[in-house]
Amino acid sequence: MTSTLAPAADLRRRPAHRDPNVLRWLGGYASSAVGDNVYYIALSWAAVQAGTPAQAGLVTAASALPRALLMLGGGVVADRYGPRRVVLGSTAARGALVLTAAVLLLVTSPGLWALGAVAVLFGVVDAVFLPAAGALPARIAARSQLARVQGMRGLATRLANVLGGPLGGLGVAVGGTAGAFGLAALLVGLSLPLLLTVRVGEPDPADGPGRPAVLSELRDGLRHIRQDPVLRPLVLAVALSDLGFVGPMNLGLTLLAQQRDWGSAGMGWVLAGFGTGAGAASLLLTWRGRVPHAAAVAAAAGLLSAVAVAALAQVPSVPAAAGVAVLIGVSAGLAGALCGALVQVRAGAAYIGRVTSVSTLVGFGVAPLTFPLVGGAIALWGTGPVFAVCGAVSALSGLVVLGVPDLRRAELP
């Protein structure tokens, strides 16, 4: 049997984009991410078929609450058992859950409660999967390669977003919602053989009676963040950025396109502009590998992104909005990848899962729960003021980075 432990020298020898071990991880991550996109399309379609638009919205948002409530515990699980082991187990659980949904749709017509249960359970598993998936790159690549790995991960995410929609639609067209769920389960399952061959730079920790309780480990992780002069403001900056960014660039963009009569095609062009910009930022990091003055560059890019988000609600035409979206994609993609790499470099191997869970909690768990607030505010005051306020919240992220000297001077290896 092939060992899953990679010698430390192997992690230092090759650039990440030429390392077969990293490329196997990237292939598994990309396949799973495409499967996630197909799953969400299948879930949305099935929910729309089974209920009203409002009910469908509740079903599709049902995953966010367990993620928000349980993600910090998921970080403890990742550190306790090792991110590789947790990624493998949670990936298998995700695939089995989606396959179960496909079988249910094939043999019966499940109502909204059944679809909501699938969404909630998927969110529970996600709460364990996401911190481990975010922590794994730090275990398979050298610290000097983490910016490049974040760029590669960003490229895989963009690819998943591009392929997920057409594949989800094809699955629904060919096999109905059951077929789309089955395709999602297949794509998630295909990631397992690749992830099984990924080696880590140090052995996964062993659980035993000597380990502290879960709550004690969680408190220890939070204490580690609070006492670190770089991690504490860095995690706050990431949270502020996500809090101001996710609402307007998801639900807000849909409402903006509706108000301006851009139609679905116009919104598609704006999203394509954002994806192009974010992909360019990821490609730059993959090629460069290291950006000098990483924290200061991330802050400047974050401030530019915040201004562009506020400006997006002021442009009248689709071409102008797509151009602004390219700028948002480049700046937000660069800031997010650099901050992610800085978090992984600073966290330390023993705390990487818990720190990752805290730094991604707002983006994956809390921010989606603000969609009703964003929608209600736009209904009352319009897109311009709401996008401006969200941009201001996001801009606080860059100001936090620039205002803390230890963080402002932080570098990647």
Side-chain angles (χ1 to χ4, degrees):
M1 181 180 293
T2 304
S3 172
T4 61
L5 184 61
D10 287 351
L11 294 179
R12 292 192 297 266
R13 188 174 299 139
R14 299 185 185 94
H17 63 297
R18 297 177 184 173
D19 186 342
N21 190 51
V22 174
L23 294 177
R24 289 193 297 270
W25 160 79
L26 186 67
Y29 175 81
S31 179
S32 179
V34 175
D36 280 357
N37 278 269
V38 174
Y39 157 75
Y40 283 114
I41 288 171
L43 181 67
S44 301
W45 187 264
V48 167
Q49 298 295 105
T52 66
Q55 290 170 332
L58 288 174
V59 168
T60 54
S63 295
L65 185 58
R67 276 202 303 264
L69 293 175
L70 301 175
M71 191 177 289
L72 295 181
V76 174
V77 172
D79 285 335
R80 180 177 283 247
Y81 297 103
R84 178 183 179 275
R85 190 182 299 167
V86 175
V87 163
L88 287 172
S90 55
T91 297
R94 282 150 53 95
L97 182 60
V98 179
L99 183 61
T100 301
V103 173
L104 281 174
L105 284 162
L106 193 62
V107 301
T108 185
S109 297
L112 287 169
W113 285 108
L115 294 173
V118 169
V120 169
L121 290 173
F122 197 88
V124 171
V125 180
D126 250 3
V128 178
F129 171 80
L130 290 171
L136 188 55
R139 300 286 297 277
I140 63 174
R143 286 160 54 89
S144 62
Q145 295 297 308
L146 287 177
R148 178 170 277 136
V149 170
Q150 290 295 327
M152 295 165 70
R153 186 181 181 188
L155 284 174
T157 301
R158 301 279 81 77
L159 177 66
N161 292 338
V162 169
L163 294 180
L167 286 175
L170 180 64
V172 171
V174 173
T177 48
F181 274 110
L183 177 59
L186 175 64
L187 288 165
V188 173
L190 284 176
S191 68
L192 274 174
L194 288 168
L195 294 172
L196 279 167
T197 64
V198 172
R199 300 172 299 160
V200 294
E202 55 187 79
D204 286 333
D207 190 43
R211 301 251 347 179
V214 170
L215 285 178
S216 177
E217 287 196 82
L218 177 56
R219 285 194 295 267
D220 185 39
L222 295 175
R223 188 182 308 113
H224 175 69
I225 295 172
R226 188 173 64 251
Q227 293 177 349
D228 190 291
V230 171
L231 267 183
R232 183 179 64 254
L234 179 57
V235 168
L236 174 62
V238 171
L240 288 169
S241 176
D242 287 341
L243 192 61
F245 183 85
V246 172
M249 291 306 295
N250 286 272
L251 178 64
L253 181 58
T254 302
L255 296 174
L256 178 64
Q258 184 183 56
Q259 289 183 4
R260 298 289 167 84
D261 292 323
W262 291 344
S264 59
M267 190 177 72
W269 280 110
V270 177
L271 288 172
F274 173 77
T276 300
S282 297
L283 188 62
L284 172 66
L285 285 175
T286 302
W287 170 58
R288 287 280 300 174
R290 182 179 180 274
V291 176
H293 313 295
V297 171
L303 288 171
L304 180 60
S305 170
V307 172
V309 166
L312 183 61
Q314 305 301 324
V315 295
S317 66
V318 171
V324 173
V326 171
L327 180 60
I328 295 173
V330 171
S331 53
L334 185 61
L338 288 176
C339 285
L342 286 166
V343 166
Q344 293 197 336
V345 166
R346 191 74 186 189
Y351 293 94
I352 184 64
R354 281 164 285 181
V355 173
T356 300
S357 70
V358 175
S359 66
T360 57
L361 174 63
V362 171
F364 284 110
V366 176
L369 298 176
T370 67
F371 287 175
L373 178 62
V374 171
I378 288 176
L380 287 173
W381 298 298
T383 52
V386 174
F387 273 58
V389 170
C390 289
V393 172
S394 189
L396 290 175
S397 167
L399 296 179
V400 167
V401 174
L402 295 176
V404 179
D406 286 340
L407 175 55
R408 185 179 63 245
R409 293 191 292 265
E411 293 277 10
L412 292 171

